Amino acid sequence: MRLHSDVLFYLGSVPVYSLTVTSWAIIALLGLLFYFGTRNMQRFPRGLQNVMEAIVEGLFNFFAGIMGEERARRYMPLLGTFFLFILVSNYSGLLPGSGEIPGFKAPTSDWNVTGALAIIVFFSVQYFGIKVHGLHYFKHFVTPHWLFLPLNILEQFARPLSLTLRLFGNIFGEEMIIAFLLGMAPFLVPLPMMALGLLTGLIQAFVFTILATSYITEATEVEHH
């Protein structure tokens, strides 16, 4: 199990890492699935359209239950993309040879990827908060008292660090255990761990997305009088 990402090839003098290739392959896969699933929409869905509609409807109901239908409709493209990309990335680590063969490492087992996702969440929260509240958004940094300003700022910057380490630590640790057991007993022992990996991969995708959803919900909350 490699901790670092290998250089697969060079574009001129620019190195292209295996992690980058795997990430773009997953993005392309998701893009193609949704393209072919929605390019000829039918009133009575079947086949791939049925699957895509079930995924979209399930995610919408999930986000609507946390932040309400209006905000779920507005922020679902970002949050749904987080969930699907992380889920497929987590599961890509369960493929045979993952972590050992260059190009087959799960993107979410590298802190560069989880850190990038967490940074997107951080700036998205600030952007959506300012977009909804204007400059009044910054009032919550001095709530309930201006003495809480350092703590509130620290909390904002601690969030991406927490998101990064939680997702990276869980997926990297899981892959290390599976790789170790694969070396000890190649056929029997890893199977229960891989089955457990299907569950933990789903849970970690949900945890990251739920936290991102709660941060955006908090930043865009409008008080009704």
Side-chain angles (χ1 to χ4, degrees):
M1 179 74 187
R2 295 174 172 84
L3 185 60
H4 62 279
S5 181
D6 301 291
V7 177
L8 279 187
F9 57 89
Y10 286 85
L11 286 176
S13 59
V14 179
V16 178
Y17 293 91
S18 60
L19 193 64
T20 306
V21 175
T22 311
S23 298
W24 279 104
I26 291 172
I27 292 170
L29 173 66
L30 290 173
L32 288 173
L33 282 175
F34 275 91
Y35 171 75
F36 287 111
T38 58
R39 66 172 178 168
N40 186 23
M41 299 286 284
Q42 301 294 322
R43 183 178 179 84
F44 299 100
R46 60 181 182 178
L48 190 56
Q49 180 186 339
N50 214 1
V51 176
M52 294 297 107
E53 287 193 7
I55 292 173
V56 171
E57 185 177 351
L59 288 175
F60 177 79
N61 291 334
F62 174 71
F63 295 128
I66 299 175
M67 54 175 36
E69 290 190 4
E70 183 181 346
R71 280 186 290 179
R73 196 170 289 108
R74 189 179 307 161
Y75 304 119
M76 181 178 160
L78 175 68
L79 296 170
T81 302
F82 275 136
F83 175 77
L84 292 175
F85 176 76
I86 293 172
L87 181 66
V88 177
S89 296
N90 292 347
Y91 284 171
S92 72
L94 299 177
L95 294 173
S98 175
E100 298 297 330
I101 302 174
F104 282 81
K105 181 182 179 183
T108 42
S109 66
D110 190 295
W111 68 270
N112 289 290
V113 173
T114 59
L117 294 173
I119 289 172
I120 294 173
V121 171
F122 174 80
F123 283 105
S124 296
V125 169
Q126 312 309 318
Y127 172 76
F128 292 137
I130 294 171
K131 188 176 181 180
V132 171
H133 298 290
L135 294 179
H136 291 290
Y137 167 71
F138 295 102
K139 284 179 64 177
H140 84 277
F141 283 97
V142 292
T143 302
H145 192 275
W146 66 267
L147 289 175
F148 282 80
L149 177 63
L151 288 177
N152 288 333
I153 292 177
L154 184 63
E155 181 191 8
Q156 291 292 318
F157 283 95
R159 287 175 175 179
L161 181 64
S162 172
L163 287 173
T164 299
L165 296 180
R166 179 183 286 110
L167 183 56
F168 160 68
N170 280 288
I171 301 303
F172 180 76
E174 171 194 304
E175 288 199 356
M176 280 197 67
I177 293 174
I178 291 176
F180 175 75
L181 292 177
L182 195 61
M184 297 288 291
F187 299 106
L188 296 179
V189 179
L191 290 179
M193 288 301 300
M194 294 181 75
L196 184 61
L198 290 174
L199 179 62
T200 57
L202 178 65
I203 291 174
Q204 291 307 318
F206 265 119
V207 168
F208 188 99
T209 310
I210 287 174
L211 289 173
T213 305
S214 66
Y215 296 156
I216 292 175
T217 302
E218 179 186 289
T220 58
E221 192 76 50
V222 178
E223 293 184 6
H224 298 283
H225 300 283

